[in-house]
Structures are given as C-alpha cells and as structure tokens.
Amino acid sequence: MNHKLLAKSIWHTLVRSKLRSVLMSLGIVLGVAALVVARAMGDGAEQKMLDSISRMFSASSLMISARGMMGPSHTGPIATLEVVDIEAIAAELDEVIAWDPIQIINAQDVRYQGEVRQMTVYGYSHQAERVWNRSVTAGEFFSENDVRDAARVALIGTKAAAALFGDEDPVGQQIHAGTVPLQVIGVLEPYGIDPHGEDRDYEIQVPITTLMRRMKRVDYILAAKLVVDDPDQTEEIADRITDILRERHALVDGERNDFAVTTPALVRRMVQQANRVLQVFLPAAAGVALLVAAMVIANVMLMSVRQRIAEIGLRKAVGASDRQISWQFIAEAVVVTLISALAGLGIGLAAITVASRRFQIPMSLTAETVILALLAASFVGILAGVLPARRAARLDPVAALK
Amino acid sequence: MIRMRKICKSFQRPDGPRLEVLKGIDLDIETGELIAVVGPSGAGKSTLMNLLGLLDRPDAGSYELADTSVAGLPSDALAQLRNRKIGFVFQQFHLLPRASAIENVELPLTYADDVEDPTARAMAALRQVGLEDRMTHYPNELSGGQQQRVAIARALVTKPDLILADEPTGNLDRSAGEGVMGLFRELHEDGRTILFNTHNPELARLASRILHIEDGQVTPGDLMKSEDGVKSGDDRTSGDRL
Ligand SMILES: Nc1ncnc2c1ncn2[C@@H]1O[C@H](COP(=O)(O)OP(=O)(O)OP(=O)(O)O)[C@@H](O)[C@H]1O
Ligand SMILES: [Mg+2]
C-alpha cells in the first residue's frame, strides 16, 4: 500500500470537487467557530471573575465568616464569631501574618450638611490597608490608635464623596452616619464592583471598634480575613482553624460549625460553578451543532459514494481491499473536517479578537480549546465517514463496473 | 498460467429459476497467449472474464492462477492477487474523470507494495502505449482511443501476468480499435498473456487462439462460429463499429 499516492489522490478528490468539499466543511467551520467562541467566552468570564476575586482574595488568603455570609447557604449571620476568636487563631498559628475583622451596616443614612445618602458602612481594622490591599488616594488610613480608641473617623469612597461633597474636598470634613459624627480622614482608592456585586466606591469605612460599639452596638463580627505566609498551606491551615474555632465555640461532635472557612480553592470552585452555563452548556450547544454537521457530511458522502460507484469498482479491480476503500472514505471525511476545523479556529479567533478589542468582552483562547476543537472535528470526521465508508467498501466490483 | 476445471456460475433471477451461465468450464491458458473470447451476447463472456479476474467467485470448480489455487481465498487476498497479477481493460475505459492521464495510470500502484518511483513507472507505461506527451491531460481532453490506451497503460503499470480486456474496442471507432489491437499484438510479441472479449471476427482473427462460448460451454472457436456469435450480437447493428 502506497500511502503517499492515496493521500495525493484523496487531496485531489477534495480539491477537484470543491462544491462538495465546501458543502461538507460548512457545518464544521461554523460549529468549531461557535465552540471556540463559546469556550473563550466562558474562560474569559471565569478569568475576569477570578481576577476580580483575586484582588480581594489572593492565593494566600483565608476568610473566616460567621456561617452564612460567604458559604453556599445564606441563612444569615450567627452572632458567635468574635474578634477574640481571630486573635486566638493568630496567636496559635504562626503562618498567619496579618488579619482583619469585618462588620457591616447595610443601608445606613450618611449625611453631610444638607445631603443624605444611603450607603454601606464597613468596619475594618488598621490592618485592612494591607490585608485587603486597598489604600487611600488622599488623606490617610486609620491608625492603630483609631481602632483601639474607637475613634470617630471615616474613609470615603470616590463615588460616595462625589454624592455628598460634589467638588468639595471631603478630607477634614465632618459627616454623620446615623447620629454618629465622623471626621473624614481619607479618600479610598477606587475599586469598582466587587464579586458580590457591591459598588465599593459608594461606601464609607470606619474603624471596626467604632462601628461595633458606637454604631451597630454588637460584640460579634461578620467575618475576618487572614493572610498566611504559604499559599500551598491554605487547606491545612483552614482545617486547623476549624479545629480551634470548634473548640473555642464548644461545639460537640456532630454539631454543625457556626462559621465557615473559605479557602482560595473553594472560591475557585464556586467561580467555576457560577460559570457552568458558559463553561459547559454553551460548548455543549456547539457540540450539538458539530453533530448536525456530522450528519450533513455523512449525507454528502453517501451521495458521493453513489456518484463514485465506478471509481470504487475500479479501485477494487486494480487491487484495493475492502478495508483500504473504507479507509479512503474515512480519511476524506477526516481531512475535510480537520481543515474545516482549522478554518473554524481562524474565524473563531477573529471573532474573539474583535469582541475583546472592540467591545471589551472578556475572552481568552486556551490551548485546551484548540485541542478540544481539533479532537471534536476528527471525531466528527470519523463518525461521519464510517457509514459512507462501509457502503463503499461493500460495493460489488462487478456490479459497480457495469 | 491458468487452469480452470468444471467452473460453474449461475445467477439468481428475481422472477424465476437460477440462470445457469457457465456449466462446468475447463480452460487452460499458457503464458504468452493472445486469446479472443467470442460468442453470442449473453453467452457468459463477461462472466468468465470476471471469474478469471477474481472480481467474482464461481459456484463450483477449481481455478489456479499462476500456480495459486484461488478457491476459498479471503477477499483481501483476492484483491492483492488482482493488484499483482491482473490488469483490466474495460469497454467503458473507467478512467477517473478528475485525474490526469498519469494519475490514472498510477492508480494501481496505490495498492502495491514497494514501488520505488510510481511516477516513473506510470510514465514508462504511458510511453509504452505511445501517450507520453499526454501525461497531464484529463480524460475529457483525450479521444476515445487515447482514453483506452491510458486504460491499457494502467493495466500494464503493475507488470501483471495476465491482461483481461472485456470488449476493449466496443466503444471505439474502426481506426482507434485497430490501434488498440495493434497495441495488444505488440504486447503479445513481448510475451504478455492477454485475453479479450469481442464481437468482431476481424479482431478475433488477430488472436493466437479463439475460444467460443455458447450454452455454458467453451469450445475452440473457428472464425465461422465466431461470426455466428456476431450475428446475434448488439455491435453488429451499429455499422461504423468494429
Ligand atoms: N448479476 C447478474 N444477475 C443476473 N443475471 C446476470 C448477472 N450478470 C450476468 N447475468 C446474466 O448472465 C448472462 C451472461 O452475461 P454476460 O454479461 O456474461 O454475457 P456476455 O457474453 O458478456 O454478453 P455481451 O456480449 O452482451 O456482453 C446474461 O444472460 C446475463 O443476463
Ligand atoms: Mg459482456
């Protein structure tokens, strides 16, 4: 068997029956382009979400929340997590290099002279600047003293400042959150929308002690973020935190945790879960399109077998075995689908480039996607080629040459 | 070279009993013979050709081709024997319309092992039939006679032991047909074994031996008998054909 000659003849068949080849390739080109774009959209959306999360939740972060805040079940916060719990964890685990507690008041009236706006008030410690990686662009951050003394000071987001102060410089001005007077000491670095969908520029931040003692009047916190020294250890550290907290909260065996520890791995899983539609269903739809394309190819090839009965008979007469005939037709299908897949990749790539450059839609084309597209196309080719190939191989040469 | 004993072949007809076409044929062919097979239309000339060419299997009987007994061989092995030992020439030429002359001649080499330079072999075969200057022509750019010569080059390219031609001149005008026969005579003089079917007594006379098929039997033919065959044949009616 001379494979070079057969390859040449397959190539000539495809090139010299252009209309048929184009007909065969259309579905694959579109299907692969759709698959590539769908995958790129999914990957891009996931990447964007991961980027936005990693800004607030780096690989060496851990989040301890009163259960319900971050975890899958939103049953509302439980009033058992306290700053002393976090202090105890930080004291026991050397790996914890920084931590910051959080408490929040939602929809608080904030007033400056005649202007009143409802916004979220976040209570953080002086460590927040480092732990949350967000600083001030004017004025200064809270000091350790501010936190210790529950000082009446506040940082303000850029949009909140614009709403309350207009063009006026907010730093040094006095505002009221509810009835509590606060002096604005800094303007927060712009942040944008966080993964929870909150606009983090339309908020004020106060020392957590101020928020807990003077404003919300609670002795528990919502959550705390910890930064550890080794990103590879986060799962183990999370387990140890769980042990410490269960003991401190005197939970007996079988009793549910009243807190949740969120690790970077868990966040990643949650993001992937959230992107399931984009990651799985869109490509699956493209996959269905490819199956339809396979049926089109199979039909075109069955027609071509009928047209080429004399050729098949002749090939058998000059020594082609049934298997060699069969291979020829499967190879024709696979060559068409692979070339179409490359064209589809090109079109998909162009669409991705336009979408991300011109319309700022986040998209990323991965090697996995390319490999997936090529594998899917070869699979479709083989699938589509099998039936026509069998039909061709079974032809009786005497009848075929009549 | 060829030894057939008691070869029988029948066909099932949809509306009736089996049609016995060959009823126990004995046939011996020596290397280097140029044999014309004649007989009335429907006598089984093509059927015999297909059996000799391993395109079809007999119902009964034994067949040895170049000392190989072919009865019961799997179809893969038959395909290989066809490739190595047999070259076919058909009445309708059966050239691939989208392949050039040289590509058509190369075709059998696709299924051959160890052919060093298929293009050179195909060129040599085309030269043998006098078409070396038509290599890149497509079938629709060639006359009928030229097309049949390309088909003969295709049959020669594997250097087969046996060339089988089923009415090779049936679709050709007189001079083209004479050209093809001239080619067969040359190949015969080179020592090739050739067997061809024909309805034309003049062509049959050019053979070294004539076989006459009638009533499912093969008999040594003389020209009178072959002319009987021609009278009931279809070709006779079209005057300008051979
Ligand atoms: N596949 C088949 N099924 C049924 N009958 C067949 C089949 N092939 C051939 N026959 C019959 O067998 C007989 C011999 O056919 P064959 O083609 O061998 O004749 P032939 O001698 O070549 O005739 P011609 O000179 O017209 O070509 C004919 O009666 C034909 O109808
Ligand atoms: Mg016939």
Side-chain angles (χ1 to χ4, degrees), chain A residues 402, chain B residues 11-12 19 21 40-47 167 199 234:
Chain A
K402 276 255 164 77
Chain B
F11 294 104
Q12 184 64 54
L19 177 71
V21 179
S41 184
K45 300 184 294 296
S46 297
T47 304
E167 298 189 43
H199 285 283
D234 312 308

Side-chain angles (χ1 to χ4, degrees), chain A residues 72-86:
Chain A
S73 65
H74 287 266
T75 51
I78 294 174
T80 51
L81 189 64
E82 295 179 27
V83 170
V84 284
D85 288 327
I86 314 300

Side-chain angles (χ1 to χ4, degrees), chain B residues 35-73:
Chain B
I35 296 179
V37 180
V38 299
S41 184
K45 300 184 294 296
S46 297
T47 304
L48 176 65
M49 199 65 101
N50 292 335
L51 292 177
L52 284 168
L54 306 174
L55 288 172
D56 208 351
R57 293 175 194 265
D59 300 337
S62 68
Y63 174 20
E64 280 171 33
L65 170 65
D67 297 326
T68 313
S69 175
V70 299
L73 284 182

Side-chain angles (χ1 to χ4, degrees), chain B residues 212-225:
Chain B
H212 187 263
I213 299 194
E214 199 159 3
D215 300 328
Q217 296 296 336
V218 177
T219 49
D222 57 42
L223 279 173
M224 282 318 291
K225 269 192 176 171

